[in-house]
Amino acid sequence: MTQSIDVGLWREAMGGFLSGITVVTTRGEAGVAGTAVNAFSAVSQDPPLLLVCLDRKSRSLDAIRKSGILAVNILSNAHMDVVRRFAAKSEDDRFRDVDFFDGVTGAPVLAESVAWFDCEVHALHDGGDHEIVVGRVLDLGSNKNAAPLAYHRGNIWCLDAGAATPEQRS
Ligand SMILES: Cc1cc2nc3c(=O)[nH]c(=O)nc-3n(C[C@H](O)[C@H](O)[C@H](O)COP(=O)(O)O)c2cc1C
């Protein structure tokens, strides 16, 4: 039996968790695809596994299922302007003006990421209205000097040299 909870309280409570922001990408027959994701975690070092949780309605999830590949890009302050675009339903050209190169799997790796992980799909698990995608990392990169973006209560912050700068919200 599914126990009902207060959805507003659920969102408020989960919104209190400070996370980084990633863009999860893939490449399939329809070309490149990608979406903003903060449900990301390391899983295993040996073998190297990570996970992301994607809404079952996500077009990117559908593309990842078909292609069997994904890249997880940890966003930096260079990506402040593109986060909302990678989350907007109405945006068809999310990669506009975004520098990227092809990883070994063919998935797009965003330039200036704090770190990136190029993966093949290792497993897909039931996650309720989301699906848990476990990726096996085939290649990775790190730019330890890049300042990461953070997400908290719907706000995007740049963690730069110890100071947090919020985005300008319209
Ligand atoms: C900061 C941020 C984090 C997000 N995290 C997730 C997430 O972890 N999983 C998810 O399914 N959607 C997440 N979203 C929402 C998706 O980016 C959004 O629904 C997007 O339109 C899905 O695109 P798609 O259908 O092309 O895959 C997040 C959005 C933002 C702005």
Short mmCIF file of all heavy atoms in Angstrom, two decimals, residues 21 34-39 53-55 57-61 83-84 86-89 94 130 151, ligand 1:
data_model
loop_
_atom_site.label_atom_id
_atom_site.label_comp_id
_atom_site.label_asym_id
_atom_site.label_seq_id
_atom_site.Cartn_x
_atom_site.Cartn_y
_atom_site.Cartn_z
N ILE A 21 24.74 20.52 -9.47
CA ILE A 21 23.88 20.37 -10.65
C ILE A 21 24.68 19.69 -11.75
O ILE A 21 25.84 20.05 -12.00
CB ILE A 21 23.37 21.74 -11.17
CG1 ILE A 21 22.74 22.56 -10.05
CG2 ILE A 21 22.36 21.52 -12.30
CD1 ILE A 21 22.34 23.96 -10.48
N GLY A 34 19.86 16.06 -23.75
CA GLY A 34 20.43 16.27 -22.42
C GLY A 34 19.45 17.00 -21.53
O GLY A 34 18.57 17.73 -22.01
N THR A 35 19.60 16.81 -20.23
CA THR A 35 18.70 17.42 -19.26
C THR A 35 19.44 17.73 -17.97
O THR A 35 20.41 17.06 -17.61
CB THR A 35 17.51 16.47 -18.99
OG1 THR A 35 16.60 17.11 -18.10
CG2 THR A 35 17.95 15.16 -18.38
N ALA A 36 18.95 18.77 -17.26
CA ALA A 36 19.51 19.13 -15.95
C ALA A 36 19.07 18.09 -14.92
O ALA A 36 17.91 17.70 -14.89
CB ALA A 36 19.02 20.51 -15.53
N VAL A 37 20.02 17.65 -14.09
CA VAL A 37 19.75 16.60 -13.09
C VAL A 37 20.54 16.90 -11.82
O VAL A 37 21.74 17.17 -11.89
CB VAL A 37 20.17 15.21 -13.65
CG1 VAL A 37 20.22 14.16 -12.55
CG2 VAL A 37 19.25 14.77 -14.77
N ASN A 38 19.84 16.87 -10.67
CA ASN A 38 20.61 16.94 -9.42
C ASN A 38 20.54 15.65 -8.61
O ASN A 38 21.22 15.52 -7.60
CB ASN A 38 20.19 18.15 -8.57
CG ASN A 38 18.79 18.04 -8.01
OD1 ASN A 38 17.99 17.26 -8.49
ND2 ASN A 38 18.50 18.82 -6.98
N ALA A 39 19.72 14.69 -9.07
CA ALA A 39 19.67 13.38 -8.41
C ALA A 39 20.80 12.52 -8.97
O ALA A 39 20.61 11.72 -9.89
CB ALA A 39 18.31 12.73 -8.64
N CYS A 53 18.81 9.69 -11.27
CA CYS A 53 17.39 9.35 -11.24
C CYS A 53 16.66 10.25 -12.22
O CYS A 53 16.75 11.48 -12.11
CB CYS A 53 16.81 9.55 -9.84
SG CYS A 53 17.61 8.53 -8.60
N LEU A 54 15.97 9.64 -13.17
CA LEU A 54 15.28 10.41 -14.21
C LEU A 54 13.80 10.09 -14.21
O LEU A 54 13.39 8.92 -14.09
CB LEU A 54 15.88 10.08 -15.59
CG LEU A 54 17.30 10.59 -15.81
CD1 LEU A 54 17.85 10.07 -17.13
CD2 LEU A 54 17.35 12.11 -15.80
N ASP A 55 13.01 11.15 -14.34
CA ASP A 55 11.55 11.04 -14.43
C ASP A 55 11.18 10.09 -15.57
O ASP A 55 11.77 10.17 -16.66
CB ASP A 55 11.00 12.45 -14.71
CG ASP A 55 9.51 12.53 -14.51
OD1 ASP A 55 8.78 11.69 -15.06
OD2 ASP A 55 9.07 13.45 -13.79
N LYS A 57 8.87 10.28 -17.46
CA LYS A 57 8.38 11.03 -18.61
C LYS A 57 9.51 11.76 -19.35
O LYS A 57 9.27 12.41 -20.36
CB LYS A 57 7.34 12.07 -18.15
CG LYS A 57 6.07 11.44 -17.59
CD LYS A 57 4.96 12.45 -17.40
CE LYS A 57 5.18 13.40 -16.26
NZ LYS A 57 5.16 12.84 -14.91
N SER A 58 10.73 11.67 -18.84
CA SER A 58 11.85 12.40 -19.44
C SER A 58 12.18 11.87 -20.84
O SER A 58 12.39 10.68 -21.04
CB SER A 58 13.08 12.26 -18.53
OG SER A 58 14.26 12.55 -19.23
N ARG A 59 12.29 12.81 -21.77
CA ARG A 59 12.69 12.43 -23.14
C ARG A 59 14.15 11.97 -23.14
O ARG A 59 14.53 11.11 -23.93
CB ARG A 59 12.52 13.64 -24.08
CG ARG A 59 11.07 14.06 -24.26
CD ARG A 59 10.98 15.40 -24.96
NE ARG A 59 11.61 16.47 -24.16
CZ ARG A 59 11.68 17.73 -24.54
NH1 ARG A 59 11.18 18.12 -25.70
NH2 ARG A 59 12.26 18.64 -23.76
N SER A 60 14.94 12.54 -22.28
CA SER A 60 16.35 12.13 -22.21
C SER A 60 16.46 10.69 -21.72
O SER A 60 17.31 9.93 -22.21
CB SER A 60 17.12 13.06 -21.27
OG SER A 60 16.99 14.39 -21.65
N LEU A 61 15.61 10.31 -20.75
CA LEU A 61 15.62 8.92 -20.28
C LEU A 61 15.31 7.98 -21.44
O LEU A 61 15.98 6.95 -21.62
CB LEU A 61 14.60 8.72 -19.15
CG LEU A 61 14.38 7.28 -18.71
CD1 LEU A 61 15.67 6.68 -18.14
CD2 LEU A 61 13.25 7.19 -17.67
N VAL A 83 21.69 26.26 -17.44
CA VAL A 83 20.96 25.31 -16.58
C VAL A 83 19.47 25.32 -16.89
O VAL A 83 18.86 24.28 -17.13
CB VAL A 83 21.16 25.63 -15.09
CG1 VAL A 83 20.39 24.64 -14.24
CG2 VAL A 83 22.61 25.62 -14.71
N ARG A 84 18.87 26.52 -16.88
CA ARG A 84 17.41 26.61 -17.09
C ARG A 84 17.04 26.08 -18.47
O ARG A 84 15.98 25.51 -18.65
CB ARG A 84 16.94 28.06 -16.94
CG ARG A 84 17.22 28.65 -15.56
CD ARG A 84 16.26 28.13 -14.51
NE ARG A 84 16.56 28.71 -13.20
CZ ARG A 84 16.17 28.18 -12.06
NH1 ARG A 84 15.48 27.07 -12.03
NH2 ARG A 84 16.47 28.74 -10.91
N PHE A 86 18.48 23.63 -20.06
CA PHE A 86 18.49 22.16 -20.04
C PHE A 86 17.36 21.59 -19.18
O PHE A 86 17.20 20.38 -19.09
CB PHE A 86 19.86 21.64 -19.58
CG PHE A 86 20.84 21.51 -20.71
CD1 PHE A 86 21.66 22.56 -21.06
CD2 PHE A 86 20.93 20.34 -21.45
CE1 PHE A 86 22.56 22.45 -22.11
CE2 PHE A 86 21.83 20.21 -22.50
CZ PHE A 86 22.64 21.28 -22.83
N ALA A 87 16.58 22.50 -18.55
CA ALA A 87 15.43 22.05 -17.78
C ALA A 87 14.11 22.44 -18.44
O ALA A 87 13.06 21.91 -18.07
CB ALA A 87 15.48 22.64 -16.37
N ALA A 88 14.16 23.36 -19.42
CA ALA A 88 12.93 23.91 -20.00
C ALA A 88 12.30 22.92 -20.97
O ALA A 88 12.95 22.44 -21.90
CB ALA A 88 13.24 25.22 -20.70
N LYS A 89 11.01 22.62 -20.75
CA LYS A 89 10.30 21.68 -21.63
C LYS A 89 10.21 22.23 -23.04
O LYS A 89 10.23 21.47 -24.01
CB LYS A 89 8.87 21.46 -21.11
CG LYS A 89 8.80 20.84 -19.74
CD LYS A 89 9.02 19.35 -19.79
CE LYS A 89 9.01 18.78 -18.38
NZ LYS A 89 9.90 17.63 -18.24
N ARG A 94 18.76 22.77 -26.85
CA ARG A 94 19.43 23.00 -25.57
C ARG A 94 20.94 23.18 -25.72
O ARG A 94 21.59 23.76 -24.87
CB ARG A 94 19.13 21.84 -24.62
CG ARG A 94 17.67 21.82 -24.19
CD ARG A 94 17.36 20.67 -23.26
NE ARG A 94 15.99 20.74 -22.80
CZ ARG A 94 15.37 19.76 -22.16
NH1 ARG A 94 16.00 18.64 -21.88
NH2 ARG A 94 14.12 19.91 -21.77
N HIS A 130 10.24 7.73 -11.04
CA HIS A 130 11.53 7.93 -11.69
C HIS A 130 12.16 6.56 -12.00
O HIS A 130 11.71 5.53 -11.51
CB HIS A 130 12.48 8.73 -10.80
CG HIS A 130 12.20 10.21 -10.82
ND1 HIS A 130 10.96 10.74 -10.58
CD2 HIS A 130 13.02 11.28 -11.06
CE1 HIS A 130 11.01 12.06 -10.68
NE2 HIS A 130 12.25 12.41 -10.97
N TYR A 151 22.54 23.96 -6.01
CA TYR A 151 21.08 24.11 -6.14
C TYR A 151 20.46 23.95 -4.76
O TYR A 151 20.73 22.98 -4.05
CB TYR A 151 20.56 23.02 -7.08
CG TYR A 151 19.13 23.19 -7.52
CD1 TYR A 151 18.71 24.32 -8.21
CD2 TYR A 151 18.19 22.20 -7.25
CE1 TYR A 151 17.40 24.46 -8.64
CE2 TYR A 151 16.87 22.33 -7.67
CZ TYR A 151 16.49 23.47 -8.36
OH TYR A 151 15.19 23.61 -8.78
C1 LIG B 1 18.54 22.15 -10.98
C2 LIG B 1 17.60 21.12 -11.60
C3 LIG B 1 17.70 19.78 -11.23
C4 LIG B 1 16.87 18.82 -11.81
N1 LIG B 1 17.03 17.51 -11.43
C5 LIG B 1 16.29 16.55 -12.02
C6 LIG B 1 16.49 15.18 -11.70
O1 LIG B 1 17.33 14.84 -10.86
N2 LIG B 1 15.75 14.24 -12.36
C7 LIG B 1 14.81 14.59 -13.29
O2 LIG B 1 14.16 13.69 -13.85
N3 LIG B 1 14.58 15.89 -13.61
C8 LIG B 1 15.30 16.87 -13.01
N4 LIG B 1 15.10 18.19 -13.33
C9 LIG B 1 14.03 18.54 -14.28
C10 LIG B 1 14.41 18.26 -15.75
O3 LIG B 1 15.61 18.94 -16.09
C11 LIG B 1 13.26 18.75 -16.66
O4 LIG B 1 12.07 18.08 -16.32
C12 LIG B 1 13.55 18.59 -18.14
O5 LIG B 1 12.59 19.35 -18.89
C13 LIG B 1 13.51 17.15 -18.65
O6 LIG B 1 13.85 17.18 -20.02
P1 LIG B 1 13.68 15.94 -21.00
O7 LIG B 1 12.24 15.53 -20.96
O8 LIG B 1 14.09 16.48 -22.35
O9 LIG B 1 14.59 14.85 -20.51
C14 LIG B 1 15.90 19.19 -12.76
C15 LIG B 1 15.79 20.55 -13.11
C16 LIG B 1 16.63 21.51 -12.54
C17 LIG B 1 16.53 22.97 -12.95
#
